[in-house]
Amino acid sequence: MKIYWIDLFCGAGGTSTGIHLSNKSNKVLACVNHDANAIKSHLKNHPEAHHFTEDIRDFAVVLKLKKLVEEIRANEPAAIINIWASLECTNFSKAKGGQSRDADSRTLAEHMFMYLKEIDPDYFWVENVREFMSWGPLNENGKPISRTEGKDYVKWIESVKSYGFRYDAKILNSANYGAYQSRERLFIQFAQGHAHPGEDL
C-alpha cells in the first residue's frame, strides 16, 4: 500500500527527506512553497515530486493538488493521502520576544481548511513551535492578550476535527532523536475516523 504526502511550506526539502527515510512505502507526491529558490533546492533533492511555486493561500494550488490526488485514488483506491504543514512559526515563537506579531501570518493555519475540504486527506500533520498552542487574539499593538491565550488554537483544533478527524499532539525534542542540539517542536496528528483495511491506528 502506497503512502502519499503533500508537503506544504516545504522549504528546501528537509521534511520530504525525512518522509522518504521513514518508510519505503512513502512517496512525496507534491510540495508547495512561495519561494522560488526553496523550490529549486527541493527539486534537486526530490525530482520525482510535483513542485508548485505558489502562495499557500491561493485556491488555485488547492485545485491542482486535488486533481493529482483524484488520479491517485482512481488508480490506487487503497492509497493513503497525507498533508504535512510546517506552518510559519515566527509570529508564534518566543524568539519574537516583545515585538508585535503579524496577525495575517498567524492566520495561515486557517487557510488549511480549504485543503482539508477539497483534498479530504486520510491524515493531516502539523509541525510548529510550542507557542502555537498559545495562539490567541492580539491587542491594538499587535501583542498577545494573556487572558485569551490559546483561545484561537482551541477554536482551530475544533474546526479541523469537524472535518471528521481525531486529534493528538506531542512536544518532541530533537536532542532525543540523534540531533546535536536541543530544539522543541510541537507535532499534531489529525487522523480520519475511518481506517484503511489492515491499517493499525
Side-chain angles (χ1 to χ4, degrees), residues 5 16 20 27-31 42-43 46-52:
W5 296 76
S16 292
H20 281 132
K27 178 179 176 59
V28 176
L29 175 66
C31 53
H42 197 289
L43 178 61
H46 304 282
E48 294 183 358
H50 295 270
H51 290 81
F52 298 96

Side-chain angles (χ1 to χ4, degrees), residues 157-175:
I157 290 290
E158 291 303 314
S159 295
V160 175
K161 286 169 63 178
S162 73
Y163 285 85
F165 289 101
R166 291 172 290 157
Y167 154 77
D168 190 22
K170 289 185 179 180
I171 293 173
L172 304 177
N173 193 318
S174 61

Side-chain angles (χ1 to χ4, degrees), residues 145-160:
I145 304 170
S146 59
R147 69 177 181 276
T148 57
E149 188 175 278
K151 182 178 180 179
D152 290 338
Y153 171 76
V154 172
K155 180 181 177 182
W156 183 78
I157 290 290
E158 291 303 314
S159 295
V160 175

Side-chain angles (χ1 to χ4, degrees), residues 67-78:
K67 184 177 180 181
L68 290 174
V69 169
E70 286 176 343
E71 291 173 359
I72 293 293
R73 285 179 169 149
N75 295 318
E76 303 175 56

Side-chain angles (χ1 to χ4, degrees), residues 8-193:
L8 304 180
F9 307 90
C10 67
T15 295
S16 292
T17 297
I19 287 169
H20 281 132
L21 290 173
S22 65
N23 190 318
K24 290 187 294 184
S25 297
N26 281 335
K27 178 179 176 59
V28 176
L29 175 66
C31 53
V32 184
N33 200 284
H34 71 282
D35 188 283
N37 288 327
I39 288 294
K40 286 180 182 177
S41 297
H42 197 289
L43 178 61
K44 288 189 175 182
N45 291 322
H46 304 282
E48 294 183 358
H50 295 270
H51 290 81
F52 298 96
T53 310
E54 308 265 6
D55 187 327
I56 213 81
R57 297 167 291 188
D58 188 348
F59 187 63
V61 74
V62 180
L63 295 179
K64 292 174 185 177
L65 294 170
K66 180 180 180 179
K67 184 177 180 181
L68 290 174
V69 169
E70 286 176 343
E71 291 173 359
I72 293 293
R73 285 179 169 149
N75 295 318
E76 303 175 56
I80 295 175
I81 304 296
N82 295 270
I83 293 179
W84 179 285
S86 293
L87 295 167
E88 195 274 342
C89 64
T90 305
N91 286 281
F92 292 103
S93 175
K94 61 185 177 183
K96 190 80 174 180
Q99 301 177 54
S100 61
R101 266 60 171 176
D102 181 341
D104 184 56
S105 173
R106 286 163 63 91
T107 61
L108 282 171
E110 294 176 348
H111 291 279
M112 295 297 99
F113 298 134
M114 58 183 177
Y115 290 84
L116 301 181
K117 180 180 179 180
E118 297 297 329
I119 297 172
D120 188 26
D122 297 289
Y123 294 92
F124 173 45
W125 309 78
V126 173
E127 178 264 332
N128 211 295
V129 292
R130 175 193 286 267
E131 292 80 20
F132 183 62
M133 294 186 294
S134 300
W135 177 19
L138 303 175
N139 63 21
E140 63 275 10
N141 298 315
K143 305 290 182 62
I145 304 170
S146 59
R147 69 177 181 276
T148 57
E149 188 175 278
K151 182 178 180 179
D152 290 338
Y153 171 76
V154 172
K155 180 181 177 182
W156 183 78
I157 290 290
E158 291 303 314
S159 295
V160 175
K161 286 169 63 178
S162 73
Y163 285 85
F165 289 101
R166 291 172 290 157
Y167 154 77
D168 190 22
K170 289 185 179 180
I171 293 173
L172 304 177
N173 193 318
S174 61
N176 297 326
Y177 298 91
Y180 292 100
Q181 62 175 326
S182 179
R183 177 173 292 186
E184 286 188 335
R185 283 293 183 271
L186 169 68
F187 292 90
I188 308 173
Q189 174 184 310
F190 296 97
Q192 282 284 7

